[in-house]
Amino acid sequence: MKVQRVETSGELMTNTYIINEDTIIDPGEGIGEYIPKDKEVVVLLTHAHYDHILGLSELNVKQLYVHPLDVEILKDPIKNFSYYVKKPFSWNNGWEDITETFEVIHTPGHTPGSCVIHLENYLFTGDTLFYDSIGRVDLEGGSFQDMKKSLKILKDYLLTLPKDTIIAPGHMALGKISDVMEFNSYLK
């Protein structure tokens, strides 16, 4: 599996991942610079906040996969916060339940439908887990209690994987599970 990370969505520096040149995870604004408009792509979302979805309008989306609990966020510029950054965006072009097709761990806390996507030796953690931190829980739909439960489930899952599995978050640096387990105090 070939994975390319590109930083998108301006100052927020969202990590967008291009998998084998035909699958996009969390397409931030600017992804169109890396993918030809006429190329059909499959899109996987870890969650539906604006910095992870604004690039949808730049892509020729063949199929979009998202957790059902984030569909309302995806469709609503106020709930996905694109309205507040003066780039109102909504997606009403259809979607599929990511849990029915891909190996995911449902990790509510940042959003109700946040999930971690497991593809080969990568875990795409969105805004659930960063190298040395976690995503915000103080936004609408966020919950610290849910995040605590999700992190416990995720930690147990991480312990079953090879230590060189890559944690690929929605923002900031990537790292091996062994390093993230050592440096992220939320997993202690």
Side-chain angles (χ1 to χ4, degrees):
M1 179 173 79
K2 179 183 172 194
V3 177
Q4 177 185 1
R5 176 184 79 140
V6 295
E7 287 185 342
T8 58
S9 291
E11 62 192 38
L12 289 178
M13 297 188 300
T14 300
N15 290 333
T16 294
Y17 299 95
I18 304 168
I19 313 297
N20 298 332
E21 300 179 3
D22 63 0
T23 301
I24 312 297
I25 297 177
D26 291 347
E29 186 176 30
I31 188 60
E33 296 175 31
Y34 302 91
I35 302 292
K37 183 66 175 169
D38 61 343
K39 181 174 186 58
E40 282 192 328
V41 294
V42 171
V43 174
L44 313 180
L45 298 179
T46 60
H47 68 290
H49 281 157
Y50 80 95
D51 52 323
H52 297 258
I53 65 170
L54 281 181
L56 284 169
S57 64
E58 303 169 28
L59 299 171
N60 182 3
V61 179
K62 176 178 167 181
Q63 192 64 54
L64 178 123
Y65 293 89
V66 63
H67 193 283
L69 292 176
D70 265 20
V71 171
E72 288 307 312
I73 297 171
L74 185 62
K75 293 179 176 183
D76 186 333
I78 291 175
K79 290 180 181 177
N80 67 40
F81 303 116
S82 61
Y83 173 83
Y84 299 107
V85 296
K86 299 185 180 1
K87 297 179 182 181
F89 178 81
S90 63
W91 179 265
N92 296 294
N93 298 342
W95 59 277
E96 295 291 328
D97 183 344
I98 195 168
T99 67
E100 293 180 357
T101 306
F102 295 91
E103 184 177 349
V104 300
I105 302 101
H106 181 214
T107 56
H110 182 64
T111 67
S114 286
C115 59
V116 171
I117 304 164
H118 187 179
L119 298 175
E120 295 186 16
N121 65 323
Y122 281 82
L123 283 176
F124 299 93
T125 59
D127 287 4
T128 297
L129 182 69
F130 303 131
Y131 184 85
D132 60 358
S133 189
I134 60 172
R136 294 179 63 167
V137 295
D138 61 335
L139 302 172
E140 182 181 344
S143 164
F144 184 67
Q145 292 305 316
D146 286 347
M147 181 66 88
K148 281 178 25 179
K149 292 175 191 170
S150 293
L151 291 172
K152 168 74 172 102
I153 291 167
L154 186 56
K155 180 181 178 182
D156 291 345
Y157 187 77
L158 295 178
L159 292 171
T160 70
L161 299 175
K163 293 183 181 199
D164 63 347
T165 301
I166 303 296
I167 301 289
H171 303 275
M172 299 179 276
L174 285 69
K176 294 179 183 177
I177 284 179
S178 55
D179 295 331
V180 174
M181 294 288 282
E182 180 179 349
F183 295 110
N184 192 317
S185 61
Y186 290 94
L187 295 177
K188 302 281 184 215

